[in-house]
C-alpha cells in the first residue's frame, strides 16, 4: 500500500516538529492553502539540513534510506526517506514505468550509478521491482566495462538498457568503434539529464532497433516529479497528480502559471514525505504546461535548468557552490560576480563560468588554473565525468564588471543560462 497524506497533514507536522518549517511558517494561517506557503529558498533549506542538530527533519532517522544530494561545499547535502516513504517513492515511480510501457519479461540492464550515497541505481532497481510488470534485472552499474555490458546484452538477449545519456553515449561509442550493433535492444531509458537530437542519432547507429525515452522525472531531494507515457515527446512528462503538486511559477514575479506554453520554474510539493517535508521546493528546472489546466496528470515540458544550479551531464554545480569558491578569491579578484552558461557541443555538455571582475589580465590568467581546481574540488563528479570524456572541460570566461547577461524584462542577472534547448 502506497501511503500519501493530505497537504494539511504534512504542513501541520512540519510546523509542529521541524524547527525550520516552524520558523518559515510563523505568521501563516492555521490551515494555509498551497499558494500561501512560501517557496523554499534552497540556501536556507540546506543550511537547516545538517548531519548534526538537524532543524529540517520532523523526527529521528530510524529506518529507510539516506542519500547524498548536490555538491560538497560547506555542509554536505543529504536526503533521507523513511522505509514507508521509500516504498511510496519507488512504488509510484514503478507505476510510471508501467505507464511508459514496461512489460512482463523485459530484460533490463541497469547502468545507473551506485555507491557513495548515490541514489539512481538503487532507486531504479527498487522501482522496477515495485512495478506491476515483472522484469528481469541485470544490475551492471554505470561503471561497468563496456565489453562486459556488450557480453551480457548478447548472452541474455537484453531488450532494455537504462542509464544516463552520457553513459548510453559511451556505450554507443564502444559499439560503433568495434563495428558492432545490439539488435536485441528495443528500448533505451534515460534519466538525470536531457537527450539531444545529435545524441539520438549516435544511439541509433549502435542500437538500430531501439526507441529512446525518459525513464521518468525524479530527484533525490525533491522526490517524485513526473512519468513519461506513450504520448510524451522529448522532455515531456506527466505529473503524478495524486502524489505530488507540480506548479510552474514565473521566474520574475513568482506568479503561478496556468496557461500553456509559458515557461517558469518547476516547483514541487511531495505528498508522500513527512520525515523530510518537501513543500513548494524548486526542482531546479524550467518548464511549461502543454495541456490545459484540469487535465488528469497534466503534461509539461522541461525547458532547461533554472537558477538553482547548472547541470552538466549527470552532475549539477550549484550556484551556492560557485559563490563560496569565488568568495575565497575575493582579495585577488576584487569586486566580482558570475553566471554559468551551459551548452551542448559535439554530443557533450560544456559549462562556461563567466566571471565579471575588475582584476587585470595578468591576475586573471594566473588565477584561472587555481579557480578551475577549486571548482573541481567543490564538485568532484565533474572531474570523473571529464576523465571519462563524458563532458567538455570547464571553461572560464572573464568579462568586465556589468558585462553579464541580464533578463530583458526584469533586469535581473541570469545566474544560469541553459542554451542546450535552443538547438533542439
Amino acid at each position: 500500500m502506497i501511503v500519501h497524506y493530505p497537504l494539511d497533514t504534512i504542513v501541520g507536522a512540519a510546523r509542529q516538529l521541524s524547527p525550520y518549517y516552524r520558523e518559515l511558517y510563523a505568521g501563516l494561517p492555521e490551515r494555509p492553502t498551497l499558494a500561501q506557503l512560501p517557496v523554499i529558498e534552497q540556501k536556507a533549506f540546506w543550511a537547516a539540513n545538517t548531519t548534526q542538530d538537524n532543524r529540517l527533519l520532523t523526527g529521528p532517522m530510524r529506518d529507510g534510506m539516506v542519500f547524498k544530494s548536490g555538491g560538497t561545499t560547506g555542509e554536505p547535502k543529504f536526503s533521507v526517506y523513511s522505509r514507508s516513504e521509500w516504498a511510496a517513492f519507488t512504488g509510484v515511480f514503478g507505476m510510471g514505468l508501467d505507464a511508459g510501457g514496461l512489460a512482463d519479461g523485459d530484460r533490463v540492464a541497469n547502468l545507473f550509478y551506485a555507491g557513495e550515497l548515490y541514489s539512481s541505481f538503487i532507486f531504479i532497481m527498487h522501482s522496477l521491482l515495485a512495478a506491476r510488470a515483472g522484469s528481469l534485472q541485470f544490475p551492471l552499474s554505470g561503471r561497468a566495462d563496456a565489453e562486459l555490458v556488450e557480453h551480457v546484452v548478447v548472452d541474455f538477449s537484453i531488450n532494455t538498457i537504462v542509464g544516463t545519456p552520457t553513459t548510453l553515449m559511451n556505450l554507443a561509442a564502444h559499439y560503433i568503434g568495434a563495428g558492432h550493433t545490439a539488435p536485441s535492444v528495443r528500448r533505451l531509458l534515460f534519466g538525470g539529464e536531457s537527450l539531444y537530437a545529435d545524441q539520438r542519432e549516435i544511439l541509433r547507429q549502435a542500437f538500430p532497433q531501439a526507441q529512446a525515452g525518459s525513464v521518468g522525472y525524479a530527484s533525490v531531494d525533491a522526490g517524485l516529479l513526473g512519468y513519461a507515457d506513450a504520448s510524451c515527446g522529448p522532455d515531456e512528462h506527466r505529473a503524478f497528480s495524486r502524489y505530488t503538486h507540480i506548479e510552474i511559477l514565473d521566474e520574475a514575479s513568482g506568479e503561478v502559471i496556468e496557461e500553456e506554453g509559458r515557461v517558469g520554474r518547476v516547483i514541487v510539493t511531495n505528498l508522500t514525505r513527512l520525515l523530510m517535508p518537501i513543500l513548494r521546493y524548486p526542482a531546479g528546472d524550467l518548464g511549461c504546461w502543454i495541456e490545459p489546466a484540469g487535465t488528469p496528470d497534466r503534461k509539461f515540458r522541461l525547458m532547461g535548468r533554472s537558477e538553482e544550479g547548472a547541470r552538466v551531464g549527470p552532475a549539477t554545480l550549484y550556484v551556492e557552490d560557485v559563490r563560496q569558491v569565488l568568495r575565497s578569491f575575493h582579495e585577488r579578484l576584487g569586486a566580482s560576480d558570475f553566471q554559468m552558461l551551459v551548452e551542448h557541443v559535439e554530443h557533450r555538455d560544456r559549462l562556461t563560468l563567466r566571471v565579471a571582475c575588475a582584476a587585470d589580465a595578468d591576475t586573471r590568467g594566473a588565477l584561472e588554473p587555481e579557480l578551475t581546481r577549486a571548482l573541481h574540488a567543490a564538485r568532484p563528479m565533474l572531474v570523473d565525468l571529464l576523465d571519462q570524456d563524458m563532458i567538455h572541460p570547464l571553461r572560464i570566461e572573464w568579462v568586465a564588471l556589468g558585462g553579464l547577461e541580464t533578463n530583458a524584462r526584469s533586469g535581473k542577472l541570469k545566474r544560469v543560462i541553459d542554451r542546450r534547448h535552443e538547438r533542439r
Side-chain angles (χ1 to χ4, degrees), residues 5-19 21-23 25 28-33 37 56-58 271 273-274 277 279:
Y5 307 92
L7 179 64
D8 284 349
T9 299
I10 300 175
V11 171
R15 293 181 88 164
Q16 181 179 0
L17 301 171
S18 163
Y21 278 109
R22 186 183 306 127
E23 180 179 330
Y25 291 168
L28 291 183
E30 183 178 347
R31 298 183 66 181
T33 65
L37 302 179
L56 176 62
L57 303 186
T58 60
L271 301 180
R273 298 177 70 180
L274 279 179
L279 296 162

Side-chain angles (χ1 to χ4, degrees), residues 154-178:
V154 171
D155 291 346
F156 292 95
S157 299
I158 301 294
N159 71 342
T160 302
I161 301 177
V162 297
T164 65
T166 48
T167 299
L168 298 177
M169 286 291 291
N170 275 1
L171 183 60
H174 162 78
Y175 275 96
I176 293 168

Side-chain angles (χ1 to χ4, degrees), residues 204-220:
R204 271 192 287 269
Q205 294 178 40
F207 308 101
Q209 306 301 319
Q211 297 249 339
S214 172
V215 73
Y217 180 32
S219 71
V220 66

